[in-house]
Amino acid sequence: MRRLPPLNALRAFEAAARHLSFARAADELSVTPGAVSQQIKLLEDTVGTPLFVRDPRGLQLTEAGAAALPSLRDGFDRLAAGTRLMTERGGPRRVVVSAAPSFASKWLVPRLDGFQAAHPDIDVYVHADMQLVDFASGEADLAIRFGRGEYEDLETQLLMAERIVPVCAPALLRGDPPLKAPSDLAHHTLLHDDGRTEDGPSWAMWLAAAGAQEVEGTRGPRFNQSSMAIEAAVAGKGVALAKYALAEADLIAARLVIPFDLTTPTEFSYWIVHPEAKAALPEVAAFKGWLLSQVSPEQGPA
Amino acid sequence: MRRLPPLNALRAFEAAARHLSFARAADELSVTPGAVSQQIKLLEDTVGTPLFVRDPRGLQLTEAGAAALPSLRDGFDRLAAGTRLMTERGGPRRVVVSAAPSFASKWLVPRLDGFQAAHPDIDVYVHADMQLVDFASGEADLAIRFGRGEYEDLETQLLMAERIVPVCAPALLRGDPPLKAPSDLAHHTLLHDDGRTEDGPSWAMWLAAAGAQEVEGTRGPRFNQSSMAIEAAVAGKGVALAKYALAEADLIAARLVIPFDLTTPTEFSYWIVHPEAKAALPEVAAFKGWLLSQVSPEQGPA
DNA sequence: CATCACGATTAGGAATCCTAACCCTGTCTG
DNA sequence: CAGACAGGGTTAGGATTCCTAATCGTGATG
């Protein structure tokens, strides 16, 4: 027989452990910090072990507390998912999708009408943010992230690989001077995506691979979002190094061209990521299936 | 932000849905049925949907309730696992293993000392029972079951395949009459494992495969546990059809021999089965790894 | 050295939860 | 076919749990 300590105490612990703060946990639970303190003491008495080290400057989990946290977080995730399954029968369904801002605007949003057409009963909320912070607080249902696919305690599935291509406005090809060889880049403006460095290779790396070491690879404007570099390229401001997925729509619409067909593969890919518990929600499953169908239209996941 | 209904109400619902009875749920939770009734009404008010159809002769889940139950059960499983992780630090650890009686006595128990040697801090409780009923009530941590590996909502991993062999005491080989060909079985006693039919082929099937149709395959004593048929064979009472895994120890010790080397493969195998939530418990993981190491000594799971 | 941020502690009141007793309905049983 | 029984529903009121508000202690901060 399953034996559980007082559930509210467990929940208070889970929140406090997640925030490493009674005050923030209390805020999340809409109670006072004192209440959290009492609940946690009760839990510690029940299980017979201290769960936090109370430094005067903050909290720290004991080994016992740290060992239990992942299971507890996952457990409450599942209770939340189960509750949603009973609450939202027939009501409006929604998925909250988290993605990097550039990916959201350049890849996801242009395709969303396809999802809406296939699932008119599900509303999609796109949550664009730089890092993957939404799951701990329970805000997002599913995320698309660019990286190595190493996300702890989250279910992960490959969406698609990525490669880096140079792009510019078509007019630049016959500009002054024309863009015929990588060395011609010396007389053009290079547009830099200055996001987090791990996101992809820089102009310097690309130029080296293209054998155009003589071109200075650090000049030119820098943007902290890939989409801005791409939009600058569309506007004819220069040549950008772009992730293919983000430039694809502009390439198909002929607002951009690939001047030199030297693409650099990356070790990073796009991943679909979500807490395991979310898999039980049909709207999340539907969105995931649709995402995968966007990549290989005939076939969803295995 | 994760929004949850009153947790005690959720737990009451989960128990009532599992038992399809307020009274049994109340018993499990050590409260009165009235309390359960109130909690469930509270939950139904909170989520705005009825969860049970109250027939005068019992309960039935509504669609909403049925949809939510698996997530909730799994959620509470995980909370229980997390609680154990904090409770049993340093204390005595234990695994409760459920297995069929014959498998437990003939295969599992003879090897257990190896596990005890490798993990002296973990106590193993062997729970022998005919069906797989222990998980719902939370009694067992892990089970070994013989079948097709189709266990809903449970994590499943193949332990080993199985095949059926005839076995008898060595003395019978030179008995009167001697056992030289399958047709000689006509003058010997056949020992029948009369357990659930899906467990394996009968003597009739084996004799047909051996080309010994003239032997009457229904005579002889019947046992409702495989181990009893094997023990009867060891005692020289006749020839039994045995699962190889169960006879192995007696074969190695030369208390049994295989008179005819015609083994019948089965479509059933042994599976390691447990609720997903149990994977978080180190003692369960240790036992599972040890089980797999018993099958292929050099290599544990993938 | 005053202030702030963080947690611990306590008393008392608010909210929740449970029991006990009773009702209703269909089924089983002699 | 009547009575017992088993299942669930309902209610009042008391037991328990939980939370707030106020106060204290401690180290970091400016």
Side-chain angles (χ1 to χ4, degrees):
Chain A
M1 156 141 303
R2 198 158 54 198
R3 244 195 29 261
L4 288 167
L7 294 174
N8 291 319
L10 265 193
R11 179 171 46 182
F13 167 75
E14 191 266 347
R18 198 150 30 76
H19 292 127
L20 284 180
S21 157
F22 286 3
R24 282 196 292 279
D27 193 47
E28 173 176 326
L29 301 172
S30 309
V31 296
T32 56
V36 174
S37 173
Q38 285 182 94
Q39 291 289 347
I40 285 172
K41 184 136 63 90
L42 169 67
L43 181 60
E44 288 177 325
D45 288 351
T46 306
V47 303
T49 326
L51 300 170
F52 287 110
V53 180
R54 276 87 163 172
D55 271 337
R57 78 168 106 203
L59 289 179
Q60 217 177 325
L61 282 166
T62 62
E63 203 188 337
L69 177 59
S71 289
L72 296 181
R73 184 170 45 209
D74 200 26
F76 284 112
D77 275 353
R78 278 163 209 261
L79 297 190
T83 305
R84 256 176 72 172
L85 285 172
M86 50 172 81
T87 309
E88 299 178 1
R89 294 262 113 193
R93 309 178 163 286
R94 55 189 214 120
V95 210
V96 182
V97 181
S98 160
S102 298
F103 186 85
S105 63
K106 289 289 181 188
W107 192 94
L108 184 58
V109 172
R111 288 154 207 264
L112 270 187
D113 50 353
F115 181 78
Q116 284 299 347
H119 299 276
D121 55 323
I122 304 181
D123 291 332
V124 181
Y125 285 52
V126 178
H127 197 149
D129 40 24
M130 312 293 260
Q131 274 114 10
L132 181 48
V133 293
D134 301 334
F135 288 137
S137 62
E139 279 187 48
D141 293 318
L142 177 148
I144 306 169
R145 288 291 142 180
F146 189 63
R148 281 207 183 75
E150 295 160 350
Y151 302 96
E152 210 160 334
D153 288 331
L154 295 171
E155 198 169 315
T156 300
Q157 167 147 15
L158 180 65
L159 178 60
M160 59 183 165
E162 181 54 297
R163 60 208 167 93
I164 304 292
V165 296
V167 294
C168 64
L172 257 70
L173 282 184
R174 272 171 303 282
D176 178 29
L179 263 181
K180 299 220 157 112
S183 56
D184 295 331
L185 287 171
H187 311 102
H188 282 268
T189 304
L190 301 185
L191 304 169
H192 299 266
D193 175 1
D194 213 26
R196 286 173 298 149
T197 52
E198 74 262 32
D199 273 18
S202 62
W203 267 117
M205 291 164 67
W206 188 89
L207 290 165
Q213 292 85 345
E214 74 278 15
V215 180
E216 169 60 57
T218 58
R219 292 168 307 128
R222 314 188 89 83
F223 305 93
N224 78 334
Q225 284 192 10
S226 313
S227 59
M228 299 172 68
I230 291 172
E231 277 154 20
V234 169
K237 307 293 185 194
V239 186
L241 265 191
K243 300 197 187 80
Y244 180 79
L246 305 189
E248 188 181 35
D250 291 319
L251 287 166
I252 289 172
R255 289 186 294 267
L256 287 178
V257 295
I258 301 178
F260 318 109
D261 200 10
L262 173 62
T263 72
T264 321
T266 74
E267 29 172 350
F268 299 100
S269 304
Y270 295 101
W271 300 88
I272 305 173
V273 167
H274 59 84
E276 281 182 40
K278 299 282 189 185
L281 301 172
E283 49 271 36
V284 171
F287 194 81
K288 192 171 173 181
W290 172 80
L291 277 177
L292 291 166
S293 77
Q294 293 304 107
V295 174
S296 58
E298 49 264 52
Q299 178 81 331
Chain B
M1 155 140 300
R2 198 157 52 198
R3 244 195 30 260
L4 288 168
L7 293 174
N8 291 321
L10 265 193
R11 180 172 44 182
F13 168 74
E14 191 267 346
R18 196 149 32 74
H19 293 126
L20 285 180
S21 156
F22 287 1
R24 282 197 292 277
D27 191 48
E28 172 176 326
L29 301 173
S30 308
V31 297
T32 55
V36 173
S37 173
Q38 283 181 94
Q39 292 289 351
I40 285 172
K41 183 137 64 97
L42 168 66
L43 181 61
E44 288 177 325
D45 287 352
T46 307
V47 304
T49 326
L51 300 170
F52 286 110
V53 180
R54 279 89 164 169
D55 270 339
R57 76 168 105 207
L59 288 178
Q60 217 178 324
L61 281 166
T62 62
E63 202 187 336
L69 177 60
S71 290
L72 297 181
R73 184 170 46 210
D74 200 26
F76 283 112
D77 275 353
R78 278 163 208 261
L79 296 189
T83 305
R84 258 176 69 170
L85 285 171
M86 49 172 82
T87 308
E88 299 178 4
R89 296 259 115 195
R93 308 176 163 288
R94 54 187 216 120
V95 211
V96 181
V97 181
S98 160
S102 298
F103 186 84
S105 62
K106 288 290 177 186
W107 193 95
L108 184 58
V109 172
R111 289 153 207 264
L112 270 187
D113 51 353
F115 180 79
Q116 283 299 344
H119 299 274
D121 56 322
I122 304 181
D123 292 332
V124 181
Y125 285 52
V126 178
H127 197 148
D129 41 24
M130 310 294 259
Q131 276 115 8
L132 179 48
V133 294
D134 302 332
F135 288 138
S137 63
E139 278 186 50
D141 293 319
L142 178 146
I144 306 169
R145 288 291 142 181
F146 187 65
R148 283 209 182 72
E150 295 161 348
Y151 303 97
E152 210 161 334
D153 289 329
L154 295 171
E155 199 169 312
T156 301
Q157 167 147 16
L158 181 65
L159 176 60
M160 58 183 168
E162 182 53 293
R163 60 209 167 92
I164 304 293
V165 297
V167 293
C168 64
L172 257 70
L173 283 184
R174 272 173 302 282
D176 178 28
L179 262 182
K180 300 218 156 116
S183 56
D184 295 331
L185 287 169
H187 310 102
H188 281 268
T189 305
L190 301 185
L191 304 169
H192 300 266
D193 175 3
D194 213 26
R196 285 175 298 148
T197 51
E198 73 262 31
D199 274 16
S202 61
W203 267 118
M205 292 162 68
W206 188 90
L207 289 166
Q213 293 86 344
E214 75 277 14
V215 179
E216 169 59 57
T218 57
R219 292 169 307 129
R222 316 188 88 82
F223 304 94
N224 78 334
Q225 284 192 10
S226 314
S227 60
M228 298 173 68
I230 292 172
E231 277 154 20
V234 169
K237 307 293 185 194
V239 187
L241 264 191
K243 300 196 188 82
Y244 181 80
L246 304 188
E248 187 181 36
D250 291 319
L251 288 165
I252 289 171
R255 289 186 293 268
L256 286 179
V257 295
I258 300 181
F260 318 108
D261 200 12
L262 172 63
T263 71
T264 321
T266 76
E267 30 173 348
F268 298 101
S269 304
Y270 296 101
W271 300 88
I272 305 172
V273 168
H274 59 83
E276 282 182 38
K278 300 282 189 185
L281 301 172
E283 50 272 36
V284 171
F287 193 82
K288 190 171 173 181
W290 171 80
L291 276 178
L292 292 165
S293 77
Q294 292 304 107
V295 174
S296 57
E298 50 264 53
Q299 178 80 333

